[in-house]
Amino acid sequence: MPADWQRALAVVAHPDDLEYGCSAAVAAWTDEGREVTYLLASRGEAGIDTIDPVDAAPLREREQRASAAVVGVSEVVFLDHEDGVIEEGMALRRDIAAAIRRYRPELVITLNHRDTWGGVAWNTPDHRAVGRATLDAAGDAGNRWIFPELTERGLDPWDGVRWVAVAGSDTPTHAVDATAGLERSVQSLLEHRTYIEVLTDEDPETYCRTFLTANAERTAARFGGRPAVPFEVFGR
Ligand SMILES: [Zn+2]
């Protein structure tokens, strides 16, 4: 994984996307003194069947902030696109480009933007939309003539994104050692307690540890035998 960077912006659709995907890597990065900011397109308000979106939105925002803090991330930004019906279009690209200009990351992280998980499970429209818009916005952010209204708002072009790393890809090209961050990634996912308690009858901590450990070990087989978080890295 590229190591010559200082700032990363992680852009996903929902609270818990980063915790299921890659927070062990985030923990390792913040340990090294790098700055990581989370940008969420929605508050995940449509994610819990038993809780009305009006109540779920602030609850999930709170859980996401706590979850980020566990892996050393203090800045969590919500764009307030509508959960479940996020549209891949100019409004989303503009919002993500604006954040890229504001936070000036060298590395942008997102989640699987393709149609399926592992070729067998259909991906959600929100993940596809946000992943693809993020890959696009990494370029938009550097061009002063795309979204000129952002420049008028004082957000100067940032052409410094060197890589976009996609977590949860079926075709990973790189990986980050998960050894140091694995336990914190479990605790970080566990902060989404309300969501997880509705999702599974298992003990929440057992569920989180089993899921994340199995993922990291599956990746180990491909990346030198150590538990790892895989990414598909697109250069720019
Ligand atoms: Zn999601």
Side-chain angles (χ1 to χ4, degrees):
M1 191 76 183
D4 50 335
W5 56 273
Q6 180 56 34
R7 293 178 304 278
L9 180 69
V11 188
V12 292
H14 312 119
D16 78 43
D17 285 354
L18 289 161
E19 289 67 40
Y20 276 107
C22 64
S23 57
V26 174
W29 290 330
T30 58
D31 281 352
E32 294 165 349
R34 304 176 200 272
E35 296 159 39
V36 182
T37 301
Y38 285 0
L39 181 70
L40 286 93
S42 82
R43 287 171 208 264
E45 67 272 14
I48 304 176
D49 187 50
T50 51
I51 302 179
D52 189 280
V54 172
D55 302 318
L59 184 151
R60 299 209 74 196
E61 176 180 341
R62 224 170 26 247
E63 291 189 341
Q64 180 62 66
R65 290 187 190 282
S67 174
V70 172
V71 292
V73 174
S74 55
E75 184 100 4
V76 183
V77 181
F78 294 86
L79 293 176
D80 272 331
H81 287 250
E82 196 180 340
D83 184 17
V85 290
I86 298 173
E87 287 186 83
E88 183 192 349
M90 291 313 137
L92 182 60
R93 268 172 58 189
R94 184 188 304 113
D95 285 350
I96 298 169
I100 292 171
R101 289 184 179 199
R102 186 181 307 278
Y103 293 101
R104 303 166 87 80
E106 297 100 350
L107 173 67
V108 169
I109 307 291
T110 190
L111 188 67
N112 183 14
H113 60 284
R114 294 212 173 83
D115 285 343
T116 65
W117 296 98
V120 291
W122 195 242
N123 199 356
T124 75
D126 285 359
H127 296 155
R128 292 201 304 272
V130 173
R132 292 175 59 87
T134 301
L135 283 153
D136 291 338
D140 301 335
N143 185 326
R144 73 178 60 256
W145 308 120
I146 300 176
F147 308 132
E149 62 274 32
L150 296 182
T151 315
E152 287 160 22
R153 278 166 47 194
L155 295 169
D156 289 331
W158 172 249
D159 196 27
V161 177
R162 295 169 63 194
W163 314 274
V164 181
V166 178
S169 167
D170 295 345
T171 50
T173 55
H174 293 67
V176 175
D177 192 326
T179 311
L182 193 57
E183 181 54 31
R184 271 171 294 163
S185 77
V186 172
Q187 298 307 321
S188 181
L189 178 56
L190 197 52
E191 292 289 348
H192 296 281
R193 189 172 280 277
T194 314
Y195 176 79
I196 288 165
E197 281 176 353
V198 173
L199 186 75
T200 175
D201 293 333
E202 257 184 271
D203 167 60
E205 185 155 356
T206 307
Y207 163 83
C208 293
R209 183 166 287 109
T210 305
F211 181 90
L212 293 174
T213 305
N215 268 3
E217 283 170 359
R218 198 172 313 124
T219 306
R222 274 197 64 188
F223 292 96
R226 283 169 302 168
V229 179
F231 293 95
E232 181 176 4
V233 177
F234 294 90
R236 289 198 62 258

